Amino acid sequence: MKKNSTLNRLLVVLVFLFLYTPILLLIVFSFNAGDSSIVWKGFSLDWYGKLFNNRLIMQSVYTTLLVSFLATAIATLAGTFAAIGFYAMRRRTRNLLNTVNNIPMMNADIVTGVAMCLLFVAFFNYWNDFAAWFNTMQRFVELPMLYMGFGTLLIAHITFNIPYVILSVSPKLRQMDKNLVDAAMDLGCTWMQAFWKVILPEIKPGIVSGALTAFTMSIDDFIISYFTAGTSSSTLAMTIYGMTKKRVSPEVNAISTLLFLTVLMLLVIVNVREAKAEERKARSASLPVYGADYQPPKKSVVLAKKAATGVLVCLVIGGMLVIRHSAKAERVVNVCSWGEYIDESLIEQFEAQTGITVNYQTVSDNETLYSQLKTGGADFDVVVPSDYMVARLIAEDMLAEIDYSNVPNFDLIDQRFKNLSYDPENKYTVPYTWGTVGIIYNTTMVDEPITSWSAMFDPKYAGEVVMIRNSRDALAAGLLYLGYDVNTTDTAQIQEAYQLLADAKAQGVYQGFYMDEIFQKMEGGNAAITMYYAGDYLSMLENNPDLAFVVPEEGSNWFVDAMCILKDARNKTEAEEWINFIASTDCNLANMDYIWYASPNAEALEQYPDYYLETYEEELDPGIYEIMAAPEETLERCTLYRNLPAEILKLYNDLWTKLGI
């Protein structure tokens, strides 16, 4: 018996270690002096200080908490009374409704999210068409145009939270003795008195459990929020996901720690209160007797009024915030870019100079951006796709022509980055950044300097290679190694490149296919070789000086990310002001220094070494600068991606799926 008890305890300890070790590591690295989540550089509280100055994260935290509290309050109220209503029904009807209530919880989140997105889009499209017609027919009343935003996000959270509240409250109602309510009412209680004094105490644990579940679901949700938030609202989960093209910001570790500790304290408080309530109930010798002249104790009345007032205040505040959110700032611009891809102080500078509010959201990759635009759930003004995706958006008539008279800083763009293949007539874009794709390797973990793409497929490095989780880049490595064009439409060549990857995967060459995780792998010395972007290599180098970068001898991809305005943008004038501001020399210098990607601004490219010397009081390593801004002889060996025909894109997707990624 003792042996079994010891084994059981050991098993419990192992389970808890498995569950909480990742959280413990997150908490520890929230106090790291460096920006890595794997390399410890000493204890510091800097990230907690920077957290409250991080505009994007703090806005997303504010939105997340506001939505979670409001959705929890409303869903708990609605779900509790719905459960009571179910309880009063006949058994067959109740069982049917409970089955219907369970469907949303068993349904895949992505199905729920897409369905709600389509519902909102369809309704708003019909409404906006009607409002436009109605407003032209008369001048007395102007109907507003409706778009997805905070309101749709809140409605979506309330909708998927209610079933969880019903599920938590219903068992407590079934456990309750039905005769208690009848007895109380027979003795003179009104239904409301019976509810407060009999029903509520019995189902209170279920209500608390349902509210905690609803709050946790709202805090944690990404998929449903992603499809229903629109452009003006972004939750913390959405912001973190948008960072996965680069590293997750260390401030996220800090805010995650604070959220975890807050939820932990809340659970402790609730459990302690429930334990005390159970003790009081156990000591009670008999149930209270209700007479015709019964009056609830004043304390109960006060508590009831406070609870009702609290719910009402939440609803009123929520309504006011929704109204304010939709009506604030006449001039706004909705921007979508990559995570950790801008010096956030520039956003504040732009708002101060122009009075235009910037709603800034992030996505993880081009395909995610394209999907979001095609579903109709996002009404961005400015997007920052990569070259081949720009060509695709132009081909599908999704971009507006830019009035370059409103963007005079376009004249500062180096001629090398104008009239490129994705926008040959320079009608739609202003370049934002550029760079190269290459191989990053740990010089202490390989036998000799790497110069060829063959390293990405070599069995001698089995288990030491990390492949990029991007079909276009991964297959490009195979095509380049085989001597083919990265823009080939020859299906046999693409199949051959796929087979190269498939064979390497089967031979155990790859640890895995990653994006953001590459930072941790390479910085911590947990992988020897990967392919990734030059700018991100420079970020990794700060945490691991043993890393090296090379553009292989077979050539590579050089890319340009460009600012574009969507054809249906609601704020085109503001969008052009934003683009002109970001294209300035000062902004490009700040961005180069922040994100380590090269600027297309000719003045910024020339001035950056002096800017670096002035800022850090030390010379910029010429080798570092050549990696950031590749020289002409390197670019001559590199190729821009082109937008591929639809059938080739489908082949890429099919092969990527076949590869099991």
Side-chain angles (χ1 to χ4, degrees):
M1 192 74 176
K2 186 176 181 181
K3 182 179 180 180
N4 289 337
S5 177
T6 302
L7 288 175
N8 288 339
R9 290 173 182 172
L10 179 62
L11 180 61
V12 170
V13 170
L14 291 175
V15 168
F16 275 94
L17 281 175
F18 178 78
L19 289 174
Y20 290 103
T21 297
I23 297 175
L24 180 61
L25 286 174
L26 180 147
I27 293 173
V28 169
F29 276 94
S30 71
F31 299 102
N32 188 12
D35 61 359
S36 174
S37 294
I38 196 69
V39 179
W40 181 258
K41 290 195 172 183
F43 180 87
S44 173
L45 294 172
D46 286 351
W47 294 117
Y48 286 88
K50 292 178 180 179
L51 167 66
F52 296 101
N53 293 318
N54 188 313
R55 172 196 175 97
L56 297 181
I57 292 180
M58 291 310 298
Q59 279 189 341
S60 64
V61 169
Y62 170 77
T63 300
T64 299
L65 292 177
L66 182 60
V67 168
S68 298
F69 280 120
L70 290 175
T72 298
I74 297 170
T76 301
L77 187 65
T80 299
F81 281 101
I84 293 172
F86 287 5
Y87 176 73
M89 293 178 179
R90 294 180 179 179
R91 183 174 181 179
R92 182 176 297 180
T93 305
R94 181 171 65 247
N95 290 341
L96 176 63
L97 289 175
N98 282 329
T99 301
V100 173
N101 180 69
N102 291 337
I103 292 175
M105 293 183 289
M106 295 184 293
N107 197 21
D109 278 357
I110 192 167
V111 175
T112 303
V114 171
M116 298 197 74
C117 175
L118 294 176
L119 174 65
F120 288 134
V121 169
F123 174 75
F124 290 161
N125 283 341
Y126 284 119
W127 170 266
N128 291 341
D129 289 342
F130 170 75
W133 169 82
F134 184 81
N135 292 339
T136 59
M137 295 296 293
Q138 51 79 49
R139 303 268 182 194
F140 299 103
V141 178
E142 183 174 353
L143 295 179
M145 298 293 178
L146 300 179
Y147 301 96
M148 294 177 67
F150 185 86
T152 53
L153 180 63
L154 179 59
I155 292 170
H157 277 245
I158 293 170
T159 302
F160 76 76
N161 277 339
I162 286 176
Y164 291 95
V165 177
I166 294 175
L167 185 68
S168 298
V169 175
S170 293
K172 295 300 178 182
L173 285 165
R174 289 195 295 270
Q175 294 169 10
M176 185 179 68
D177 187 349
K178 291 184 177 181
N179 296 323
L180 291 177
V181 178
D182 294 335
M185 297 184 71
D186 287 343
L187 292 171
C189 280
T190 64
W191 188 90
M192 188 56 69
Q193 289 172 340
F195 171 77
W196 285 111
K197 297 301 295 180
V198 179
I199 299 176
L200 190 59
E202 291 290 330
I203 66 174
K204 182 181 175 183
I207 295 174
V208 172
S209 175
L212 287 174
T213 301
F215 183 76
T216 304
M217 294 292 293
S218 286
I219 285 281
D220 185 57
D221 176 73
F222 163 72
I223 294 178
I224 294 175
S225 298
Y226 173 80
F227 284 102
T228 59
T231 58
S232 57
S233 299
S234 181
T235 64
L236 183 60
M238 293 169 62
T239 299
I240 294 173
Y241 180 75
M243 292 176 179
T244 55
K245 186 179 180 183
K246 284 175 65 76
R247 73 170 74 245
V248 174
S249 171
E251 291 99 319
V252 172
N253 292 342
I255 188 60
S256 299
T257 298
L258 294 176
L259 287 175
F260 173 75
L261 294 177
T262 300
V263 172
L264 183 63
M265 289 175 58
L266 183 62
L267 287 172
V268 169
I269 291 171
V270 169
N271 287 330
V272 169
R273 291 189 64 182
E274 289 299 323
K276 289 183 178 179
E278 289 295 328
E279 289 178 7
R280 287 195 298 269
K281 188 174 181 180
R283 292 173 188 163
S284 179
S286 60
L287 291 172
V289 178
Y290 298 92
D293 58 346
Y294 171 78
Q295 293 293 330
K298 291 182 179 180
K299 186 177 180 181
S300 299
V301 174
V302 171
L303 289 174
K305 287 182 178 179
K306 284 184 178 180
T309 303
V311 173
L312 182 61
V313 167
C314 286
L315 293 174
V316 171
I317 292 175
M320 292 174 64
L321 288 169
V322 170
I323 293 171
R324 189 197 71 168
H325 193 85
S326 60
K328 70 176 181 180
E330 288 185 10
R331 303 190 72 200
V332 299
V333 60
N334 301 312
V335 181
C336 183
S337 185
W338 317 121
E340 290 289 287
Y341 210 44
I342 189 173
D343 182 343
E344 292 169 18
S345 66
L346 298 178
I347 299 176
E348 297 173 359
Q349 291 177 32
F350 176 77
E351 290 182 332
Q353 289 181 20
T354 65
I356 299 172
T357 298
V358 180
N359 294 319
Y360 194 94
Q361 284 197 21
T362 60
V363 291
S364 60
D365 54 62
N366 285 286
E367 285 66 33
T368 301
L369 171 64
Y370 178 80
S371 173
Q372 196 168 4
L373 295 177
K374 294 299 283 187
T375 58
D379 55 335
F380 300 115
D381 299 310
V382 179
V383 292
V384 191
S386 300
D387 35 48
Y388 72 94
M389 186 56 66
V390 172
R392 186 173 183 180
L393 296 177
I394 292 174
E396 297 184 19
D397 195 28
M398 295 175 66
L399 298 183
E401 293 188 14
I402 294 175
D403 183 351
Y404 288 98
S405 65
N406 295 326
V407 190
N409 285 331
F410 181 69
D411 294 337
L412 301 175
I413 301 299
D414 193 301
Q415 291 298 321
R416 291 181 297 165
F417 308 107
K418 294 181 179 179
N419 304 103
L420 294 173
S421 58
Y422 60 86
D423 186 13
E425 298 181 48
N426 262 125
K427 291 182 177 181
Y428 303 95
T429 60
V430 174
Y432 180 70
T433 57
W434 63 279
T436 56
V437 177
I439 293 178
I440 303 171
Y441 64 96
N442 191 315
T443 56
T444 66
M445 299 175 69
V446 298
D447 298 334
E448 56 187 1
I450 290 174
T451 60
S452 169
W453 285 111
S454 63
M456 296 301 299
F457 314 101
D458 196 335
K460 79 175 183 179
Y461 295 119
E464 298 294 333
V465 181
V466 171
M467 178 54 84
I468 192 169
R469 195 178 66 240
N470 180 309
S471 60
R472 192 74 191 265
D473 287 330
L475 287 168
L479 290 168
L480 288 163
Y481 173 62
L482 295 168
Y484 300 140
D485 183 0
V486 293
N487 295 308
T488 182
T489 57
D490 186 323
T491 57
Q493 293 179 353
I494 297 171
Q495 290 278 2
E496 192 177 346
Y498 156 77
Q499 195 59 50
L500 194 63
L501 266 75
D503 291 344
K505 183 184 178 188
Q507 293 168 0
V509 173
Y510 304 131
Q511 287 187 15
F513 290 68
Y514 302 115
M515 288 295 289
D516 180 59
E517 297 94 329
I518 287 176
F519 283 88
Q520 284 71 41
K521 291 284 186 181
M522 299 306 294
E523 289 175 355
N526 298 316
I529 304 169
T530 189
M531 65 175 294
Y532 218 56
Y533 311 104
D536 292 324
Y537 158 73
L538 295 174
S539 295
M540 298 178 202
L541 187 63
E542 295 177 339
N543 292 307
N544 189 342
D546 294 328
L547 299 180
F549 178 87
V550 62
V551 174
E553 58 194 8
E554 299 94 342
S556 185
N557 161 243
W558 77 280
F559 59 87
V560 177
D561 291 343
M563 295 179 284
C564 319
I565 300 176
L566 292 174
K567 192 168 188 178
D568 56 355
R570 290 184 284 143
N571 308 291
K572 189 171 186 294
T573 300
E574 289 77 9
E576 289 173 342
E577 288 190 54
W578 167 261
I579 290 174
N580 184 61
F581 174 80
I582 294 297
S584 68
T585 300
D586 288 344
C587 288
N588 274 267
L589 285 169
N591 259 346
M592 282 184 72
D593 192 59
Y594 185 84
I595 64 177
W596 286 110
Y597 278 88
S599 164
N601 181 303
E603 291 181 352
L605 276 175
E606 181 182 352
Q607 296 174 17
Y608 183 69
D610 292 335
Y611 176 91
Y612 186 92
L613 176 61
E614 182 180 345
T615 303
Y616 300 103
E617 298 182 349
E618 63 180 16
E619 295 280 350
L620 176 63
D621 185 338
I624 296 294
Y625 187 61
E626 282 198 4
I627 291 173
M628 176 194 286
E632 281 298 322
E633 56 267 27
T634 300
L635 293 181
E636 287 174 0
R637 295 188 287 114
C638 299
T639 308
L640 277 175
Y641 287 148
R642 294 178 182 268
N643 181 37
L644 299 173
E647 62 273 14
I648 300 300
L649 292 174
K650 183 178 184 304
L651 176 61
Y652 267 76
N653 289 335
D654 292 344
L655 293 176
W656 198 242
T657 302
K658 186 178 178 181
L659 198 60
I661 308 305

